[in-house]
């Protein structure tokens, strides 16, 4: 399998008045062609920052302070804004959570889709209105020609998310970054939009990074899942592994807290996410971890290959099955 | 759990919200709650489930005494909660039904210390307490929701989302209620802290002998916490029954669709049927479809479904379903 | 029960201790804000100066002496003399009671009426809201100067009509501002919770709504503190304000305007006082807003 995206030692910090927030701290991973990589994490895990960094959307006070993002071998961090514009929306595109803030209320959706095509092909949006209708059909919007002349407020939430999706796929991107694309939608609507995303991804032969707090959803749709905690990767493995045999205590806790049992006390992870300005020394999860010992509070565990996936935890030995 | 003693009865409750953009002469209404009847029994936890526009939150507010219904009655222990358009003047009645809401960031007055928030409620409930007694009661309440005395002197912004929701629970408990309405109280929280809040809810339910109306869209939570489930769609209850039996054999096609498309429900793994894979979006509650309201998305809808609105009827023992074809096709 | 009592018996004293600590923190926040602190001192100094004028001024502020008219600052007249040879320092001291008094009273009055109406309108909505806001709209459309003229005609020229004119022209602004804030606040869950525990509407408005409108009100008040001085001056300039020879600062500027090029200090010195006062109130307002908001206070403490 060929590598589409290779992130190496990426660090993204936010420089705020009261300190430096290490939102993404030394993160490395690869994305293979055609796969869906799920990034799971709670608020403050750095998952969205990571997505923005890959799409070149980090704005001050955020800053990429180190590492490389190799997209088809080329380091995205060395690109100028004008070079970025040629890539963003064409080779890499992004779908966000809130369709309302990404669709302009004063233009018809057809025009906005046409504009996305025009941005990378030149000419005027008017030339691409047929292409836009075709794209709206691709995202299964019924009666696309009529819908194309609607304004965003005339569409439902699910429909708007489809329009955003059609903008994202307008130029057949190789990489689609979906940041909580369905979190604002109802489950029955979400199910349909997610299915559509996966089908389109397959049709176009793209790869996808699917960022969400919804681990159960990722278990259904992702090929591999990367679990983040406080700016770090804690576990990265196939959905199968994560679902049936999660290793990292945080992954286990996360999974247990959504694996509801009938009339039993719910399982929770005690405490809350640490401050990313002064994270705890050693393993960042140690203060909440039921298995933490001496070493965990002093030495930061590296990501190591254990039982067919990567885990950052002292409880496990390299290559071994258990620690 | 739950007894036969009914504590709250809703009788054909309706709530329509007028829309200001009605066409000339023709008034439009959002039919938020449209003819809902429901009996809630003492000590049970009933989940009101539905998606946006289902009317579950409106129904919750009606039960909480915050919103008078346009038609129908809400009866608490034999007493009408509303006198026509206004809330009953009976203060005791008002104390007995309390509610907690979704957003931890607006649930507490940002300018009041946690102690003052609790003390206010305690003083309203109990006349003539000394300051020591108020403080002691506040301390006990806070401990009952798993917080400690240090939290008394904090301001809301110094607490995490989960802690704020627990204070909101404590404030409700200060009134010594019998019914607690919990409207999406964990939806805004991270999953790892949700359990902390829900476990508190389970604890205080026993300690205070509460009846809980748990409003949510998350089928996983329904499974874990509720005795009864009422599934709502476009202002109507479409299925009602014991949670366990509904999860094992959902009868209404919409319940089947919810269970099939909900990732947390599929982790539970009782029901999944690809025939009921989600399709379409709910129509507008301003103009619900003729016949069965679910007919635009229903995979098993037939002629009758497009003409006749199915009533909620007992299709199996203790299983109430509003569907013409629930038993014909699974 | 005995046991429980011993467990909780110092809870109350702990709460009280913590509350005193928090109150001290409030002052601390204000003290740490150098600009606000300096402004507070300036305002205190200005008030003290105006109070002193009741028992002492270097010269009689009304005594004119054309022989020494329009003299620039000197040792005997530290701020110079005006177009009639009166000592400007004495006049500034004496005039402070008008200028500061008028702006203080009119701003407070305007804010009281405006905030009360804004909360009533926003909290109750419906007809109450419509009636109040229509009145407010009418008041906003009414030109200040015209109103002042009408008032002068009705009440007579002087401090009273000036205060009335300023309060009446400013309260609709507070009302509209507060109403907007209240419309957001009433939708917050803590208001619903207050209704649920059975608090009366009056208590909810006073305890839960009012404190949360304070940030916007304080900012507006400190802004109007300066503006009302300028408004009083403008009216004084048109002869609708405090009548000469009373040395209201704005009236002083009006009196000296024709000598702006030959003796600029006559205009500039009261101008500087107006400027400093207005700036000090604005900076103090900002500081107060920070100190009174528990959230902002926390940020500053961490920072």
């Amino acid at each position: 399998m060929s590598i589409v995206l290779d992130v190496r030692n990426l660090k993204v910090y936010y420089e705020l008045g009261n300190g430096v927030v290490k939102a993404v701290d030394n993160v490395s991973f690869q994305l293979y062609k055609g796969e869906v990589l799920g990034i799971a994490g709670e608020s403050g895990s750095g998952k969205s920052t990571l997505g923005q960094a890959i799409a070149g959307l980090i704005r001050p006070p955020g800053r990429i302070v180190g590492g490389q993002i190799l997209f088809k071998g080329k380091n995205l961090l060395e690109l100028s804004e004008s070079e970025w514009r040629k890539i963003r929306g064409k080779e890499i595109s992004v779908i966000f959570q809130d369709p309302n803030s990404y669709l302009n209320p004063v233009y018809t959706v057809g025009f906005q889709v046409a504009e996305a095509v025009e941005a990378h092909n030149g000419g005027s949006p008017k030339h691409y209105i047929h292409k836009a209708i075709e794209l709206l059909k691709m995202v299964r919007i019924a009666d696309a020609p009529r819908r194309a002349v609607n304004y965003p407020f005339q569409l439902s939430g699910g429909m708007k998310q489809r329009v955003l999706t059609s903008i994202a796929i307008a130029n057949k991107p190789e990489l689609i970054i979906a940041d909580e694309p369905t979190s604002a939608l109802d489950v029955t609507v979400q199910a349909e939009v997610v299915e559509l995303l996966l089908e389109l991804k397959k049709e176009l032969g793209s790869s996808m990074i699917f960022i969400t707090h919804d681990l159960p959803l990722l278990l259904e749709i992702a090929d591999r899942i990367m679990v983040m905690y406080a700016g770090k990767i804690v576990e990265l493995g196939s959905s199968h592994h994560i679902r049936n045999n999660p290793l990292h205590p945080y992954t286990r806790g996360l999974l247990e807290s959504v694996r509801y049992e009938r009339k039993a006390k719910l399982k929770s992870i005690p405490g809350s996410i640490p401050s990313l300005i002064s994270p705890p020394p050693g393993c960042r999860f140690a203060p909440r971890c039921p298995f933490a010992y001496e070493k965990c509070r002093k030495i930061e565990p590296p990501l190591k290959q254990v039982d067919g996936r990567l885990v950052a935890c002292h409880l496990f030995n390299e290559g071994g099955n258990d620690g | 759990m739950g007894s036969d003693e009914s504590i709250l009865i809703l009788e054909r409750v309706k709530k329509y919200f007028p829309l200001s953009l009605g066409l000339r002469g023709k008034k439009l209404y959002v039919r938020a709650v449209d003819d809902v009847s429901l009996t809630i029994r003492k000590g049970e936890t009933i989940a009101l489930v539905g998606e946006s526009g289902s009317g579950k939150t409106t129904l919750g507010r009606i039960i909480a005494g915050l919103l008078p219904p346009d038609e129908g009655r809400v009866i608490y222990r034999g007493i009408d909660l509303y006198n026509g358009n206004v809330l009953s003047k009976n203060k005791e009645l008002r104390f007995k039904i309390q509610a907690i809401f979704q957003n931890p960031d607006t649930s507490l007055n940002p300018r009041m210390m946690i102690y003052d928030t609790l003390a206010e409620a305690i003083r309203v409930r109990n006349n003539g307490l000394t300051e020591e007694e108020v403080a002691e009661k506040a301390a006990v309440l806070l401990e009952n929701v798993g917080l400690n005395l240090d939290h008394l002197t904090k301001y809301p912004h110094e607490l995490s989302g989960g802690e704020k929701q627990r204070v909101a629970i404590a404030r409700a408990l200060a009134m010594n209620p019998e019914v607690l309405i919990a409207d999406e109280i964990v939806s805004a929280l991270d999953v790892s802290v949700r359990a902390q809040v829900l476990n508190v809810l389970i604890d205080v339910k026993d300690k205070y002998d509460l009846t809980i109306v748990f409003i949510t869209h998350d089928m996983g939570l329904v499974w874990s916490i509720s005795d009864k489930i009422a599934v709502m769609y476009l202002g109507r209850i479409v299925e009602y029954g014991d949670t366990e039996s509904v999860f094992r054999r959902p009868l209404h096609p919409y319940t089947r669709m919810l269970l099939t498309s909900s990732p947390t429900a599929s982790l539970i793994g009782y029901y999944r049927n690809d025939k009921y894979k989600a399709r379409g979006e709910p129509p507008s509650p301003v103009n619900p479809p003729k016949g069965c309201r679910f007919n635009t998305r229903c995979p098993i809808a037939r002629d009758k479904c497009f003409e006749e609105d199915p009533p909620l009827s007992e299709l199996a023992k203790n299983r109430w379903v509003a569907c013409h074809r629930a038993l014909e096709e699974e | 029960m005995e046991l429980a009592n011993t467990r909780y018996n110092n809870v109350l004293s702990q709460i009280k201790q913590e509350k005193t600590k928090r109150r001290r923190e409030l002052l601390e926040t204000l003290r740490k804000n150098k600009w606000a602190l300096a402004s507070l001192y300036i305002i205190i100094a200005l008030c003290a100066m105006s109070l002193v004028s009741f028992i002492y001024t270097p010269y009689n502020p009304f005594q004119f002496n054309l022989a020494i008219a329009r003299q620039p600052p000197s040792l005997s007249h530290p701020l110079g003399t005006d177009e009639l040879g009166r000592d400007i320092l004495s006049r500034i001291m004496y005039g402070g009671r008008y200028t500061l008094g008028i702006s203080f009273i009119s701003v407070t009055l305007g804010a009281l009426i405006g905030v009360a109406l804004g909360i009533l309108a926003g909290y109750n909505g419906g007809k109450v809201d419509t009636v109040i806001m229509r009145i407010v709209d009418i008041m906003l459309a009414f030109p200040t100067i015209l109103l002042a003229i009408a008032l002068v005609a009705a009440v007579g020229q002087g401090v009273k009509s000036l205060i009335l004119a300023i309060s009446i022209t400013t309260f609709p602004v507070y009302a509209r501002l507060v109403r907007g804030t209240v419309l957001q606040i009433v939708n917050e869950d803590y208001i619903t919770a207050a209704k649920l525990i059975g608090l009366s509407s009056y208590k909810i408005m006073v305890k839960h709504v009012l404190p949360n409108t304070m940030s916007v009100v304080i900012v507006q008040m400190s802004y109007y503190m300066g503006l009302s001085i300028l408004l009083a001056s403008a009216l004084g300039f048109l002869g609708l304000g405090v009548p000469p020879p009373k040395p209201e600062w704005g009236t002083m500027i009006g009196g000296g305007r024709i000598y702006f090029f030959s003796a600029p200090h006559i205009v500039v010195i009261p101008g500087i006082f107006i400027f400093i006062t207005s700036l000090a109130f604005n900076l103090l307002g900002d500081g107060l807003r920070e100190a009174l908001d528990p959230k902002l206070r926390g940020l500053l403490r961490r920072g």
Side-chain angles (χ1 to χ4, degrees), chain B residues 29-251:
Chain B
Y29 293 95
V30 176
R31 304 181 183 191
V33 173
D34 204 2
D35 201 359
V36 165
S37 299
L38 182 67
T39 301
I40 298 170
R41 290 182 181 78
K42 169 89 185 149
E44 71 183 8
T45 300
I46 177 169
L48 287 185
V49 190
E51 301 181 276
S52 42
S54 65
K56 58 185 193 300
T57 292
T58 308
L59 192 60
R61 295 179 80 83
I62 291 172
I63 301 173
L66 291 166
L67 195 67
D70 298 331
E71 277 174 42
R73 297 164 72 197
V74 183
I75 306 159
Y76 169 80
R77 289 194 173 281
I79 313 164
D80 266 306
L81 192 56
Y82 297 94
N83 281 329
N85 229 345
V86 288
L87 186 66
S88 161
K89 290 273 184 288
N90 187 340
K91 267 229 163 175
E92 198 67 16
L93 184 69
R94 142 127 283 178
F95 295 156
K96 287 293 177 195
I97 306 173
Q98 291 294 315
I100 324 156
F101 305 98
Q102 177 171 8
N103 189 348
D105 295 322
T106 68
S107 64
L108 304 172
N109 187 337
R111 300 210 173 223
M112 270 164 88
M113 222 179 237
I114 302 307
Y115 171 69
D116 292 323
T117 292
L118 294 177
E120 180 178 60
I122 293 166
R123 288 205 186 94
V124 171
R125 186 70 177 90
N126 312 275
N127 281 325
L129 286 188
T130 64
E131 225 178 320
E132 279 86 8
E133 285 165 331
V134 172
E136 187 180 323
K137 268 200 182 335
V140 173
L141 280 172
L142 220 48
E143 284 181 345
N144 280 344
V145 296
L147 298 174
N148 56 50
L149 302 185
D150 293 341
H151 289 104
L152 276 176
T153 51
K154 290 204 152 94
Y155 279 98
H157 74 270
E158 295 166 319
L159 303 185
S160 69
E163 288 168 336
K164 280 185 261 198
Q165 287 303 65
R166 283 189 267 173
V167 174
I169 295 176
R171 175 179 53 199
L173 293 177
M175 308 316 287
N176 210 355
E178 198 167 16
V179 180
L180 190 62
I181 295 148
D183 187 357
E184 299 272 14
I185 57 168
V186 294
S187 313
L189 305 176
D190 275 325
V191 283
S192 74
V193 296
R194 277 181 189 186
Q196 296 172 8
V197 175
L198 290 170
N199 286 337
V200 162
L201 196 67
I202 296 169
D203 277 348
V204 299
K205 177 179 184 291
D206 290 340
K207 203 172 275 175
Y208 289 78
D209 199 14
L210 297 171
T211 302
I212 294 181
V213 179
F214 191 83
I215 302 173
T216 183
H217 66 275
D218 188 335
M219 291 303 261
L221 292 177
V222 174
W223 174 248
S224 109
I225 206 166
S226 71
D227 304 304
K228 296 278 170 52
I229 176 174
V231 181
M232 293 188 72
Y233 189 76
L234 285 181
R236 289 274 171 87
I237 291 179
V238 296
E239 178 154 13
Y240 168 81
D242 282 337
T243 304
E244 199 140 348
S245 82
V246 171
F247 267 66
R248 285 178 203 276
R249 189 184 169 218
L251 291 178

